[in-house]
Amino acid sequence: MVLLASKIIKTILIGKGNVGESFINLLYEKNNYLNQKLGIEIKVIAIFEIDGALIDDDGINLKEIIESKENFRELKYWNKGVLAKDKIKELNADILIETTPTNVKTGEPAITHIKEALKSNKDVISSNKAPFYLKYHELEKLAKDNNRLMRFEATVGSAIPCLAMEELLNGNIIEGIYAILNGTSNYILSRMTSEGISFEFALKEAQELGYAEADPTLDIEGYDAAGKLVILANKLMGWNKTIDDVEIQGISKIKNQVVELAKSEDVLVKHLAIAESDKLIVEPRLVKKDSPLAINGTLNVVQIKTRYAGDIILTGRGAGGNEAASAIINDLLYIVSRRFSN
Ligand code: HSE
């Protein structure tokens, strides 16, 4: 890849929560490398929070942001009350990075942010899942009509490059997906199996680990996994589904006795997300102990069933600020390599 020397790429970050902050830290850490190796400088010209924004057209001093910690609102370029939805269009930036918390019902305000960016000549990166399990095809069309790129690797499996498989397996045909896409549910079932502890106690542990959603019913009733499954199936297999198309059954009714009984039969109870024969299913199923799906703890796994090469399996940590931030940087470099190389 030959890149123009010292090309400046301007970005807007929306959301300064766990993922947003991890992104700032990782970008600060990697900017020297990007500059020296690739001849690019990624500048963040705006960081939006729910009640205002840090804006500096010349590029925000990331070190200052990191050092200010929770006191960033005291910095001189803090603009109280300035909201992303009103400002995205007029900002002169190349890429918008959306990391606000997911609103499972409406996908807002992320959907509005993404649309505003696509309509004003900005490529988009998102770690926010709901826009893509509620309105994927509408957003894809908008991106295409506006000749924009839209990447959202962090939405499924975090740093596990499962959405990238669309391009990497272009020479093959993906016929189905078997996956574990929710770390919290997998953690609970693993703890019930290995230690015999109760569902409620295991859920509490998962919450303490910071894996569970703010509303943990999204994890244990399968909604989070269902959303990720929709994103995977649409992206990898070109399906046209939304979360309403998924048959969902959670794990909250699974008793310790069932888990114990399964164990004695050499199988494990796992909360699987399956895309096959035009159907999307999230439900508890029995898997053999030596199956690639028999992963433990908070890990995620994606088993891609291909026509010409059998199964391809990806596994790793499916959540966490650093994990999501590394997926965002990958998306950024993907966009940069297509937009700014010659
Ligand atoms: N609550 C999610 C999980 C976080 O447990 O997998 C990552 O999306």
Side-chain angles (χ1 to χ4, degrees):
M1 178 169 59
V2 181
L3 287 150
L4 301 173
S6 283
K7 170 77 196 162
I8 291 173
I9 289 116
K10 292 187 171 183
T11 64
I12 299 168
L13 172 67
I14 311 187
K16 199 177 172 297
N18 187 20
V19 175
E21 285 201 345
S22 301
F23 168 73
I24 292 169
N25 288 332
L26 192 54
L27 183 62
Y28 179 66
E29 206 176 299
K30 284 198 78 110
N31 239 339
N32 263 351
Y33 166 85
L34 298 176
N35 205 235
Q36 281 164 18
K37 291 277 181 204
L38 305 176
I40 56 173
E41 190 183 349
I42 311 280
K43 288 193 172 186
V44 182
I45 62 151
I47 302 174
F48 286 92
E49 251 305 317
I50 196 163
D51 56 344
L54 295 154
I55 300 176
D56 184 344
D57 286 331
D58 295 327
I60 291 170
N61 180 340
L62 297 184
K63 190 163 182 269
E64 196 172 33
I65 298 293
I66 293 166
E67 283 169 357
S68 71
K69 298 199 171 119
E70 295 309 309
N71 300 324
F72 61 91
R73 289 178 179 84
E74 288 160 23
L75 295 170
K76 62 179 181 302
Y77 40 95
W78 171 252
N79 298 262
K80 191 167 182 254
V82 172
L83 300 184
K85 69 177 175 51
D86 304 319
K87 197 80 182 159
I88 291 168
K89 263 194 182 142
E90 71 186 65
L91 284 170
N92 178 21
D94 305 294
I95 303 172
L96 177 102
I97 301 162
E98 220 308 319
T99 71
T100 59
T102 276
N103 179 324
V104 294
K105 290 213 167 71
T106 66
E108 293 291 359
I111 290 178
T112 299
H113 295 156
I114 292 170
K115 285 183 176 174
E116 289 294 294
L118 295 174
K119 286 192 276 189
S120 60
N121 283 332
K122 295 167 184 72
D123 297 315
V124 167
I125 297 167
S126 176
S127 63
N128 192 324
K129 301 163 237 185
F132 303 95
Y133 60 68
L134 295 172
K135 301 234 161 141
Y136 172 63
H137 282 279
E138 188 185 329
L139 295 174
E140 268 291 302
K141 184 173 181 314
L142 191 64
K144 207 167 163 222
D145 290 348
N146 287 280
N147 190 24
R148 290 292 112 200
L149 296 167
M150 191 170 66
R151 307 283 295 179
F152 39 98
E153 186 64 75
T155 59
V156 184
S158 233
I160 306 171
C162 37
L163 300 182
M165 287 295 129
E166 183 207 3
E167 281 124 18
L168 299 176
L169 294 176
N170 243 339
N172 210 315
I173 293 173
I174 298 174
E175 298 191 314
I177 296 162
Y178 277 64
I180 291 175
L181 298 173
N182 184 269
T184 302
S185 301
N186 199 52
Y187 180 84
I188 293 170
L189 292 174
S190 301
R191 292 287 283 153
M192 286 168 77
T193 307
S194 62
E195 310 294 332
I197 63 172
S198 71
F199 180 93
E200 290 73 21
F201 193 82
L203 170 59
K204 213 177 242 171
E205 284 185 343
Q207 285 176 298
E208 277 162 18
L209 283 174
Y211 257 69
E213 299 294 306
D215 171 5
T217 56
L218 298 172
D219 298 297
I220 60 179
E221 298 304 347
Y223 199 84
D224 179 72
K228 292 168 180 166
L229 182 65
V230 169
I231 298 173
L232 268 181
N234 287 349
K235 181 85 174 146
L236 297 192
M237 298 193 287
W239 290 11
N240 188 3
K241 306 282 189 191
T242 75
I243 196 154
D244 293 333
D245 298 312
V246 190
E247 291 169 32
I248 310 175
Q249 207 184 311
I251 61 163
S252 59
K253 295 193 176 66
I254 294 178
K255 302 266 177 278
N256 282 67
Q257 292 89 323
V258 175
V259 173
E260 285 300 321
L261 189 65
K263 203 164 114 186
S264 67
E265 296 293 320
D266 248 16
V267 288
L268 299 169
V269 181
K270 289 287 168 195
H271 201 203
L272 297 192
I274 301 164
E276 204 172 43
S277 312
D278 201 41
K279 276 193 153 184
L280 295 172
I281 300 166
V282 171
E283 66 183 14
R285 285 203 182 177
L286 297 175
V287 304
K288 290 197 178 132
K289 275 186 179 162
D290 59 0
S291 157
L293 297 168
I295 52 155
N296 283 322
T298 51
L299 291 176
N300 282 192
V301 61
V302 180
Q303 182 177 24
I304 300 171
K305 302 203 154 289
T306 74
R307 184 174 300 174
Y308 304 114
D311 292 352
I312 291 172
I313 294 144
L314 303 166
T315 188
R317 295 204 294 254
N322 284 335
E323 290 80 352
S326 78
I328 291 172
I329 300 266
N330 275 0
D331 283 347
L332 232 164
L333 294 179
Y334 175 95
I335 291 173
V336 167
S337 71
R338 269 143 191 90
R339 286 268 179 241
F340 305 103
S341 58
N342 56 12

